[in-house]
Amino acid sequence: MPEQPRIAPDAPLSPASLLAVALEAAQAAATVIRDATPRVREIVWREKGATDFVSEVDLTAEMRILEVVRRHVPHAAILAEETASTVAPDLLRSGIVFVVDPLDGTTNFLHGYPEYAVSIGVLVDGSLAAGVVLDVPMDEMFTATAGGGAHVNGARIRVSAIDNPQRALFGTGFPFVRHEEIAPYVAQLARVMAGAAGVRRAGAAALDLASVACGRFEGFWEMKLSPWDIAAGLLIVREAGGVVTTLEGAECPVARTSVVAGSAAMHAWLLRTINGT
C-alpha cells in the first residue's frame, strides 16, 4: 500500500483518510502475525490474568500499528490492549483516538485455531469515524466509515434478512475471567438455545461482530468486553444496518461494556430473550 500523507492537526477530519491509515496499520500487524504462524508452537506466552494471555506476537503487532499511526497521524491518541495506551478509556471524547487490538483471539492463535484478527477503530471527538477488522487466516478485510457503509474486501455488506429466531444463528462469548458471571450467563445461553437454530462461540469478538455485519450471524452477545474488542466492530455492524446496544438496551459505547448486536428484528428478540422478558 502506498504511503499516505501525514494528517496535520488542523486538517479536515476525513473518515476515508483515517480508514486508509487504519488499513495500512492492520496490514502491518497481519504481516507480523502471518510470519509467526509457522512457529506458533515455539512462541513464549505469559498470563496477563487468569486465562488471559499475551505473546511476543501481540506486542510486536501492536508496535507495528503504532509506528504506522504515529507516522501518519502523530497527534492522535492511542488506546491499545497491550502496552501502548496513551489515553484512558474515559477520555475518548476529544480529538482523534485509535482504539487498537493487535491480535483479537490470542488464545486461538497460540493453539493454531484459525479464528483471530486485527481490530482498529478510530474515534473523532468521541464518535466512531472508521473501523477495520482484518481476519488474518481468511484474509478478509472488514471496513466501515461513518456514513459510508460497511464492506468486506471492497464489497458492500448488510446484516441478515432472517427474522425468525428458529432459523437464526447467534454468536456469543463465554465469561472466562469472572467466574461469578458463569451462572447468569448459562441462564442466558439456555434461553437463546431453546429458541434459536444454533449458537456458536469462536473466541474473537471482533470477528463475531463482523459476522453479524455480513449476515453470517443474525446476532451476537457477550456480558463484558473491552473497548479495543469492539470499537471497529460496532461501526461495521451499524454501517451494515445492524443495531448494537448493552444488555440494558442502551446504545453501546466504546468502553468496557456488555454487547448485544444483530439485525433490527433479531436484536430485539435476542435482547428480550437474554433478559428473560
Side-chain angles (χ1 to χ4, degrees), residues 93 227 230 234 238 245-246 250-258:
R93 298 189 179 279
I230 61 173
L234 291 181
R238 288 168 179 160
T245 69
T246 66
E251 182 175 353
C252 190
V254 180
R256 190 158 179 77
T257 181
S258 58

Side-chain angles (χ1 to χ4, degrees), residues 6 15 29 32 39 46 54 102 115 151 157 174 216 240 260:
R6 287 159 60 105
V32 171
R39 57 181 182 86
R46 62 177 175 82
V54 65
E115 184 81 4
H151 300 79
I157 54 176
F174 298 157
R216 294 170 185 167
V260 182

Side-chain angles (χ1 to χ4, degrees), residues 94-163:
S94 63
I96 301 173
V97 184
F98 282 75
V99 186
V100 173
D101 193 337
L103 179 51
D104 184 38
T106 297
T107 301
N108 289 346
F109 170 75
L110 293 171
H111 286 82
Y113 182 69
E115 184 81 4
Y116 47 88
V118 182
S119 177
I120 304 173
V122 189
L123 291 155
V124 176
D125 294 333
S127 297
L128 283 164
V132 175
V133 173
L134 173 52
D135 184 332
V136 179
M138 295 294 291
D139 198 25
E140 287 188 321
M141 183 78 80
F142 295 88
T143 60
T145 54
H151 300 79
V152 59
N153 293 344
R156 188 70 180 260
I157 54 176
R158 296 286 298 176
V159 294
S160 171
I162 291 174
D163 60 6

Side-chain angles (χ1 to χ4, degrees), residues 154-194:
R156 188 70 180 260
I157 54 176
R158 296 286 298 176
V159 294
S160 171
I162 291 174
D163 60 6
N164 180 352
Q166 294 183 338
R167 296 190 173 212
L169 181 64
F170 294 98
T172 190
F174 298 157
F176 63 94
V177 175
R178 296 161 295 277
H179 293 171
E180 67 276 9
E181 294 180 348
I182 293 175
Y185 171 78
V186 169
Q188 295 173 1
L189 179 62
R191 289 192 291 269
V192 175
M193 289 176 64

Side-chain angles (χ1 to χ4, degrees), residues 24-39:
E24 183 181 342
Q27 291 283 22
T31 296
V32 171
I33 297 165
R34 291 189 182 108
D35 288 348
T37 299
R39 57 181 182 86

